Amino acid sequence: MINYIIQVILFQILFLTIYDFFLSKETFFTKNRWYLLSTPILSFLLPLIKIPTFQKAVPQEYIVYLPEVVISPETVIQKSTWYQSLNYIDIIFAIGVIVFTVVFLSKLIQIFKLINSYKLVRKVGYTLVLIPNQSKAFSFFNYIFLGEEIPENQKEQIIAHELVHSTQKHSLDLLLFEFLKIIMWFNPMIFIYQKRITLVHEYISDEVATKNEPKENYINKLLSSFFQVEDIAFINQFYKQTLIKKRIIMMKKKQSKKMNQLKYLVLIPVLMSMLFYTSCSENESNLISGQKNLRNYITMIMGKSMLIQEKKKPILILT
């Protein structure tokens, strides 16, 4: 299991490295979105795929198979206290899952409280949640949360921006990574993935929203907006200070050439290398398993020999 987890994390590191170096600066936002959604799932599946053709490519003389050892029914049973029998790794993992689940549910409850506590304005395709004495602006599925302190001349721009998040179901993407964060809370790559796709969501929404007005006007309004920000990772926020600069740079950037889409082809040799590695790692696991069996065998022989000596039996019988 630990070997599987290590492979998943290593694959995600490689996928993110490819994204940061080759794809993140391109304006193929929708393709980048699907890249960031598919590669973490692939990293979970690839270690489970074993291709026999790749296994045969490894010369057999470099593989050592240790014989299976069968010990007689007479085994040495050592008494152990209850705390020695506990698997502390499983306990720590379970505690992490519980903590991250509680944090996620608490933030989800915050959103539902906002929906149930404040005025709702039903529109075609979405619902406005008007929050008094606030300047917050964010969306969650078909709900757009809008602070009443936001100037009227900026509300239209914000709604247009958040509608893109709503129609393209960006909240589903973020919830996927929230689920991955719960089951792999110890993996920092999941947190990086979520940050990357959050930025891509903003690029997509900015691209659509700027089709209806000049980019300069949109950027000026964006810079003049100093809204409060909710500390919730799975909502789409119109204003997030850490992303503003990157969004403006990307809006001013020229469209990437179609030829640059060939960069996605770098995934082909990378995936083939990963499949080769995972297929051959089965042989490596057999070797490790054989080594463990041999160590256990030696340990049991030594323990049994000591037991026989204590009982003053001159013969050690193994079947």
Side-chain angles (χ1 to χ4, degrees), residues 73-108:
E74 294 184 30
T75 58
V76 180
I77 302 176
Q78 298 179 350
K79 294 183 179 179
S80 61
T81 55
W82 64 270
Y83 58 84
Q84 290 177 326
S85 62
L86 291 177
N87 191 328
Y88 291 100
I89 294 179
D90 290 344
I91 293 175
I92 294 173
F93 173 77
I95 292 174
V97 170
I98 293 171
V99 169
F100 276 81
T101 301
V102 171
V103 171
F104 169 72
L105 292 176
S106 64
K107 292 182 177 181
L108 201 61

Side-chain angles (χ1 to χ4, degrees), residues 175-287:
L175 285 179
L176 168 65
F177 287 104
E178 286 297 314
F179 174 73
L180 293 179
K181 280 162 62 176
I182 290 174
I183 62 174
M184 289 197 76
W185 54 268
F186 50 86
N187 180 7
M189 294 302 108
I190 301 298
F191 296 82
I192 297 175
Y193 259 109
Q194 192 175 48
K195 289 181 179 179
R196 296 291 188 274
I197 201 164
T198 297
L199 184 57
V200 170
H201 288 167
E202 297 307 316
Y203 290 161
I204 293 173
S205 294
D206 289 336
E207 183 181 41
V208 175
T210 51
K211 290 180 180 179
N212 300 322
E213 64 174 310
K215 288 185 179 180
E216 291 75 14
N217 294 345
Y218 185 89
I219 292 172
N220 289 334
K221 290 180 181 178
L222 188 62
L223 289 173
S224 64
S225 304
F226 292 95
F227 303 142
Q228 298 172 2
V229 179
E230 287 282 357
D231 185 22
I232 300 177
F234 54 87
I235 60 174
N236 298 110
Q237 305 177 46
F238 177 77
Y239 178 80
K240 193 170 185 179
Q241 191 172 3
T242 56
L243 304 182
I244 290 295
K245 182 179 179 180
K246 294 179 181 179
R247 289 169 60 186
I248 292 174
I249 291 173
M250 191 58 72
M251 278 188 282
K252 289 185 174 182
K253 190 174 182 178
K254 293 182 180 179
Q255 290 290 320
S256 299
K257 297 179 181 179
K258 291 185 178 180
M259 184 68 66
N260 290 354
Q261 296 183 71
L262 294 176
K263 291 182 178 181
Y264 292 98
L265 296 179
V266 74
L267 273 178
I268 296 177
V270 170
L271 288 173
M272 294 298 291
S273 301
M274 290 178 175
L275 288 172
F276 184 85
Y277 170 76
T278 56
S279 298
C280 296
S281 65
E282 184 177 5
N283 294 329
E284 182 182 355
S285 65
N286 288 338
L287 175 60

